[in-house]
Amino acid sequence: MAADWEKLANDYTGKDNILIAEVDCTLDENDDLCDFHGVQGFPTIKHGDPTALEEYDGGRQYDELAEFAKEELKPSCSPSNLDLCNDEEKAFITKFQAMSVEVLDDAIDEVEELLDLNEDKMDEEVEKLRDLYDEVTKKYEKQAKELSQEKGLKYMKAVLATKDEPVFEDDEPEF
């Protein structure tokens, strides 16, 4: 992925309002920046307004990255680009601009806690699905084994392997 990322960065070198960059979050000097943007794994790709970057979840090959950049990397609605906002987005920004730093921090924390709870619930549901998958798999593997034994499948195959003549449809056994 590194070569594709470098190629993409070269494509956008010198372009106004678009920056393709990388930050090494394993370096202590970048801890604050990486923590602020919620970087937890590597490589993590973020995009959008530098004050509120969003997670990129697309492909990691050059063609996929280039297509995303072409379509999505452009100035967007933000407090510094209100002319790019629709009425709903402007209403959010106006509402949040009226809040104190403390109230806004608390509101962000509250939403992030709700998101964490949502993720925890999803993880619980996924675990239930894994358990159900294991249960269903065991059930059908047991049934397949019993059916194979009951019908003598291994003996059918062993006998078939000893026959020199081709097998025709008329030779199909009745079960």
Side-chain angles (χ1 to χ4, degrees):
M1 187 185 134
D4 290 334
W5 188 256
E6 288 176 26
K7 183 176 180 183
L8 184 68
N10 288 335
D11 291 349
Y12 283 87
T13 298
K15 302 258 177 152
D16 289 342
N17 297 321
I18 297 176
L19 173 66
I20 307 291
E22 62 184 72
V23 175
D24 186 347
C25 289
T26 63
L27 299 176
D28 292 341
E29 64 218 40
N30 296 328
D31 282 349
D32 289 342
L33 179 65
C34 296
D35 289 344
F36 178 79
H37 290 294
V39 175
Q40 297 176 358
F42 310 105
T44 296
I45 299 176
K46 300 275 188 164
H47 68 94
D49 185 306
T51 61
L53 293 175
E54 299 173 54
E55 195 80 27
Y56 169 77
D57 60 3
R60 303 294 175 110
Q61 303 297 315
Y62 173 77
D63 291 341
E64 297 161 316
L65 293 166
E67 180 65 25
F68 178 83
K70 178 181 172 187
E71 298 297 322
E72 301 294 330
L73 297 186
K74 53 191 167 209
S76 60
C77 173
S78 70
S80 59
N81 286 318
L82 286 175
D83 57 317
L84 300 175
C85 301
N86 63 36
D87 291 340
E88 182 181 10
E89 293 166 329
K90 285 179 185 175
F92 274 127
I93 291 171
T94 301
K95 173 183 170 183
F96 300 142
Q97 284 175 327
M99 294 179 177
S100 69
V101 170
E102 183 178 289
V103 171
L104 194 52
D105 274 339
D106 289 345
I108 290 169
D109 288 345
E110 183 179 325
V111 172
E112 288 178 342
E113 284 177 26
L114 290 172
L115 290 171
D116 287 344
L117 286 172
N118 187 59
E119 187 172 346
D120 291 346
K121 286 180 182 178
M122 182 192 73
D123 290 344
E124 288 173 16
E125 293 298 318
V126 167
E127 188 59 37
K128 288 178 188 176
L129 288 172
R130 283 189 189 118
D131 292 344
L132 179 60
Y133 173 82
D134 290 344
E135 180 182 320
V136 168
T137 300
K138 287 177 185 173
K139 174 183 172 183
Y140 285 96
E141 286 174 349
K142 180 181 178 201
Q143 287 176 346
K145 183 179 180 181
E146 289 171 356
L147 182 62
S148 177
Q149 288 173 345
E150 178 185 317
K151 300 296 182 180
L153 181 61
K154 81 175 185 179
Y155 302 113
M156 286 182 203
K157 289 182 177 183
V159 169
L160 180 62
T162 65
K163 293 190 176 252
D164 292 333
E165 57 201 61
V167 177
F168 298 101
E169 284 189 29
D170 292 343
D171 292 338
E172 287 185 22
E174 297 282 328
F175 293 107

